[in-house]
């Protein structure tokens, strides 16, 4: 038998059964030959490789966030959405135009151009589940084995949109990676919050903006990406922050209950309380206008934090305590909160906490004299 002198000859000796077939359509993308397809993760696991000369090192924080995101799908059947993976063939495989199938030998790999963290997150979860399966098997925890098997099945069959560049080299891969990750920017502000419609306060804010009667007077900018349009009083992001303050007494970054898992009844209950809160706010404050200090972002968050403290002293959110406490609003001199240029000079958090402390001190000193028990809130 003649000796094998090249990799191509070695591959030619492999049996047909060792081929990995990838169905897809070949086209030209920016002058390059590409194949577009959708692959289950089980197949992707077997064909990709990472070239560290092209890819950056894995960022643990990004990996952890992606794993948490995938677990929404595995644990709670929530839909998850990923941009496609981009791979480079570097000359590997052959495309059968008649069958519209791209064939790889089992020994051949495709190199990741974009999607390294996504693939790593899926692989890490797969390895964790396989380890948990072995442990459950040793302990004869059959119910647990069935649960893990179901998750593994969903993980393996998860469909991932994939584009394969068939004819670019390593230098072009590096340029493509650079362009993909350098040119786009992340969404921010309202748009980032509005598009996150899984978390509790985000969903609640959407319901309030659409259904609460007070929002016809308190205009909420739902779509501007950063900040808010000049014709709006509140941004959508501010509405979320107010809700976190009112129901938790925390700033949004520290909110504990802004999770993914809640009942519709929770939304309905909080919607009624928040709607009432804004109704009473309109009753006791001046007309909502940009020039009114009491309607500014910092003071609105400060008020929400203060009212939370007063209405949860019994351990639960007490609507009747809210009715009583909000009667202090007409008596507050809003212009006395900040001295000099503090309103513009202080950091945002400091401005919020200074206003919160002022309102709290004013209430403690004066509410007994200023609020009549029989005062009509209606």
């Amino acid at each position: 038998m003649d000796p094998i002198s090249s990799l191509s000859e070695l591959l030619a000796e492999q049996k047909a059964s060792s081929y990995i077939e990838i169905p897809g359509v070949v086209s030209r993308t920016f002058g390059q030959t590409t194949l577009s397809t959708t692959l289950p993760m089980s197949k992707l696991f077997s064909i990709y490789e990472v070239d560290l000369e092209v890819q950056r090192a894995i960022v643990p924080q990004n990996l952890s966030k992606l794993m948490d995101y995938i677990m929404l799908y595995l644990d709670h059947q929530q839909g998850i959405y990923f941009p496609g993976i981009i791979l480079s063939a570097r000359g590997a495989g052959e495309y059968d135009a008649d069958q519209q199938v791209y064939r790889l030998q089992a020994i051949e790999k495709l190199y990741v151009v974009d999607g390294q963290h996504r693939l790593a997150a899926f692989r890490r979860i797969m390895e964790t589940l396989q380890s948990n399966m072995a442990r459950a098997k040793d302990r004869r925890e059959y119910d647990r084995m069935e649960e893990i098997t179901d998750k593994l099945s969903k993980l393996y069959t998860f469909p991932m949109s994939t584009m394969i560049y068939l004819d670019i080299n390593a230098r072009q891969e590096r340029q493509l990676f650079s362009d993909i990750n350098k040119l786009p920017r992340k969404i921010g502000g309202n748009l980032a919050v509005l598009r996150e419609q899984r978390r509790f306060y985000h969903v609640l804010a959407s319901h309030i903006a659409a259904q609460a009667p007070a929002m016809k007077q308190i205009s909420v900018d739902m779509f501007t990406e950063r900040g808010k349009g000049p014709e709006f009083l509140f941004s959508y992001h501010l509405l979320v922050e107010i809700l976190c303050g009112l129901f938790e007494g925390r700033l949004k970054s520290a909110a504990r209950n802004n999770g993914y898992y809640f009942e519709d009844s929770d939304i309905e209950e909080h919607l009624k309380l928040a709607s009432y809160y804004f109704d009473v706010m309109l009753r006791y404050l001046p007309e909502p206008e940009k020039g009114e200090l009491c309607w500014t972002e910092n003071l609105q968050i400060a008020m929400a934090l203060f009212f939370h403290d007063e209405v949860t002293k019994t351990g639960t959110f007490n609507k009747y305590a809210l009715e009583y406490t909000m009667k202090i609003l007409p008596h507050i001199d809003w212009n006395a909160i900040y001295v000099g240029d503090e309103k513009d000079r202080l950091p945002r958090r400091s401005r919020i906490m200074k206003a919160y402390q002022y309102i709290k001190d004013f209430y403690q000193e004066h509410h007994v004299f200023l609020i009549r028990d029989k005062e009509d809130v209606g």
Side-chain angles (χ1 to χ4, degrees):
M1 189 172 103
D2 294 332
I4 294 174
S5 59
S6 68
L7 177 60
S8 60
E9 289 183 34
L10 174 62
L11 297 178
E13 292 293 322
Q14 302 297 311
K15 295 181 180 178
S17 61
S18 66
Y19 281 113
I20 297 173
E21 294 191 341
I22 302 173
V25 178
V26 165
S27 60
R28 298 289 288 177
T29 304
F30 302 119
Q32 306 296 333
T33 303
T34 58
L35 180 139
S36 299
T37 186
T38 299
L39 298 176
M41 287 307 304
S42 58
K43 184 167 286 189
L44 266 173
F45 286 145
S46 67
I47 65 173
Y48 84 85
E49 188 68 69
V50 175
D51 183 347
L52 294 180
E53 290 189 3
V54 176
Q55 295 293 306
R56 58 189 169 186
I58 290 289
V59 179
Q61 184 179 7
N62 293 350
L63 182 63
S64 178
K65 289 180 179 179
L66 282 168
M67 291 173 65
D68 290 342
Y69 183 60
I70 296 168
M71 292 309 295
L72 290 176
Y73 170 67
L74 297 180
D75 285 341
H76 301 278
Q77 292 75 54
Q78 291 200 30
I80 58 175
Y81 310 97
F82 281 99
I85 302 295
I86 299 179
L87 305 174
S88 173
R90 294 189 182 180
E94 293 183 354
Y95 182 69
D96 185 334
D98 294 332
Q99 299 293 323
Q100 291 193 329
V101 169
Y102 178 62
R103 294 190 178 94
L104 283 172
Q105 294 281 359
I107 197 174
E108 294 179 303
K109 298 294 181 182
L110 305 178
Y111 289 85
V112 178
V113 176
D114 186 59
Q116 178 192 10
H117 282 79
R118 279 161 267 159
L119 291 168
F122 274 98
R123 182 173 289 279
R124 185 71 62 83
I125 291 176
M126 176 197 70
E127 293 168 350
T128 300
L129 290 174
Q130 289 176 338
S131 177
N132 292 344
M133 173 68 82
R135 191 177 300 112
K137 185 176 181 180
D138 289 342
R139 297 174 180 176
R140 294 181 172 83
E141 297 173 345
Y142 299 113
D143 290 344
R144 177 72 172 146
M145 289 174 60
E146 185 177 346
E147 175 190 342
I148 297 172
T149 299
D150 179 62
K151 289 181 180 179
L152 278 170
S153 177
K154 289 196 290 186
L155 189 75
Y156 287 144
T157 58
F158 186 87
M160 183 68 77
S161 177
T162 306
M163 175 181 282
I164 303 171
Y165 278 81
L166 300 180
D167 59 353
I168 63 174
N169 56 36
R171 181 188 60 79
Q172 291 170 308
E173 289 174 17
R174 289 191 290 271
Q175 185 62 56
L176 181 57
F177 172 81
S178 174
D179 290 347
I180 290 171
N181 289 280
K182 177 178 64 179
L183 298 181
R185 67 187 178 101
K186 293 182 178 179
I187 62 171
N190 286 349
L191 206 57
V193 179
L194 181 60
R195 295 300 180 258
E196 172 62 281
Q197 288 299 294
R198 287 190 177 91
R199 294 184 180 274
F200 178 75
Y201 289 119
H202 298 65
V203 175
L204 178 60
S206 295
H207 281 271
I208 290 171
Q211 300 176 32
M215 294 301 112
K216 294 178 181 178
Q217 291 179 256
I218 307 172
S219 54
V220 180
D221 186 345
M222 296 289 289
F223 299 107
T224 300
E225 182 177 350
R226 298 179 185 276
K228 62 178 183 289
E231 69 273 27
F232 296 97
L233 189 66
F234 282 7
S235 69
Y236 181 87
H237 190 273
L238 172 59
L239 185 56
V240 173
E241 289 188 292
I242 291 172
L243 295 172
C244 292
L246 180 63
F247 292 115
E248 293 195 30
R250 295 171 176 268
L251 298 178
K252 176 178 175 288
S253 59
R256 292 179 176 175
N257 299 319
N258 196 24
Y260 296 102
Y261 316 120
F262 48 86
E263 301 294 333
D264 290 342
S265 57
D266 296 330
I267 293 291
E268 293 174 5
E269 177 185 353
H270 285 75
L271 175 60
K272 291 177 182 178
L273 291 171
S275 296
Y276 177 78
Y277 173 76
F278 288 114
D279 284 343
V280 178
M281 188 78 71
L282 286 173
R283 192 174 303 145
Y284 287 129
L285 290 181
E287 287 292 317
E289 293 181 4
K290 282 186 175 293
E292 291 290 347
L293 188 61
C294 59
W295 286 105
T296 59
E297 178 176 313
N298 297 322
L299 266 66
Q300 283 293 314
I301 297 172
M303 280 185 262
L305 294 171
F306 164 71
F307 288 125
H308 170 84
D309 289 350
E310 293 300 316
V311 304
T312 58
K313 288 183 175 179
T314 60
T316 58
F317 195 99
N318 189 322
K319 180 179 177 181
Y320 301 103
L322 182 65
E323 290 179 2
Y324 176 84
T325 309
M326 292 187 76
K327 293 178 183 179
I328 199 66
L329 291 175
H331 306 288
I332 297 175
D333 180 3
W334 306 104
N335 293 310
I337 295 177
Y338 300 112
V339 178
D341 62 349
E342 286 183 337
K343 181 171 69 68
D344 303 311
R345 176 176 53 82
L346 292 175
R348 181 176 187 265
R349 183 186 179 91
S350 298
R351 281 177 280 164
I352 292 172
M353 298 316 296
K354 182 175 177 63
Y356 162 79
Q357 194 62 49
Y358 178 91
I359 297 169
K360 181 177 180 179
D361 292 343
F362 183 87
Y363 180 81
Q364 290 176 344
E365 292 179 21
H366 302 293
H367 79 276
V368 173
F369 308 103
L370 294 176
I371 301 178
R372 303 192 307 273
D373 289 336
K374 296 182 180 179
E375 189 169 343
D376 180 19
V377 296

